[in-house]
Amino acid sequence: MPVEITWWGHATCAVEDSNVRLLTDPLFARRLAHLRRRRGELPPPADRHADAALVSHLHADHLHVPSLARLAPGTRLIVPRGAPRAVPGLRRLAHLPLTEMAPGDETTVGALTIRAVPALHDGRRLPVGPHRSPALGFVVEGEARTYFAGDTGLFDSMAEDVGRVDVALLPVGGWGPYLGDGHLDPGRAAEALARLAPGSAVPVHYGTYWPIGMDAIRPHEFHTPGDEFARLAALRAPGVTVHRLSHGERLRLEVAR
């Protein structure tokens, strides 16, 4: 049975494996604070259903409570440990069962095993305050092993912590003209790809949201990260097939195990 991956923009993907459907960092908003969705349609309601949603960290463009509230009753939320304490809105989503995870933890959803792995990123909801939660990536194992990196920078133990994977969903940009620490740009994402050596990769976390009024400021940081990642990946990880998806495009992969 193949794995199917649909990119809906930013870090939101649907991963379908072994008759189980997951959503990553669901974000169903045309506007978020100072950000405006500039490219790609939101997923239609029929495509917002899932058996579980994986939330990588607490920043509002990844843990978006209004988007999570639209998920069907019974959808399982898998969140970083401590998230309900740091984000009180999560506790109001009584129709969604919560599972908290830290790096190294495993859980199952249907036939899938989901393992939380470290990410090099500030996982706090706010820049100050007493509540901290780890930023996570996730390795989803079923017919394929799929790595969703969330938001992360490069770190020395990345390949060891993630392990062998068939497909990597890697962030290659952001939502503004400059990337801070704890992010991958196209070059660092290509280096991550060389270390991980999956069979396939899908660039995400770019080309969707941009600050209002800043369209003319470093526009290449919005438009080009996907293509630049593909170019650099061909040089640094030539054995990996890069699939640069359009918003809403579905990739179907047959994985030999």
Side-chain angles (χ1 to χ4, degrees), residues 1-4 15-22 51 109 111-112 140-146 255 257:
M1 181 181 298
V3 60
E4 294 187 347
V15 178
E16 300 175 66
D17 188 337
S18 304
N19 294 315
V20 178
R21 179 179 169 88
L22 306 175
D51 297 287
V109 178
L112 301 183
V140 177
E141 183 169 357
E143 293 293 324
R145 292 187 181 96
T146 301
V255 177
R257 297 294 295 274

Side-chain angles (χ1 to χ4, degrees), residues 7 39 172-173 186 202-207 220-233 242-245:
W7 181 51
R39 181 183 292 163
V172 302
V202 176
V204 302
H205 203 268
Y206 77 100
H220 63 283
E221 298 290 357
F222 178 86
H223 292 286
T224 65
D227 289 336
E228 182 67 1
F229 168 71
R231 183 185 72 82
L232 294 173
V242 174
H243 303 270
R244 199 186 74 75
L245 302 182

Side-chain angles (χ1 to χ4, degrees), residues 159-209:
E160 178 183 355
D161 290 333
V162 172
R164 187 175 71 82
V165 292
D166 300 299
V167 57
L169 313 179
L170 291 179
V172 302
W175 49 253
Y178 301 99
L179 283 174
D181 293 335
H183 292 87
L184 296 177
D185 62 9
R188 292 191 291 270
E191 173 59 27
L193 203 62
R195 298 183 188 185
L196 296 167
S200 298
V202 176
V204 302
H205 203 268
Y206 77 100
T208 309
Y209 292 91

Side-chain angles (χ1 to χ4, degrees), residues 74 125 132 220:
R125 184 67 163 184
R132 295 177 179 270
H220 63 283

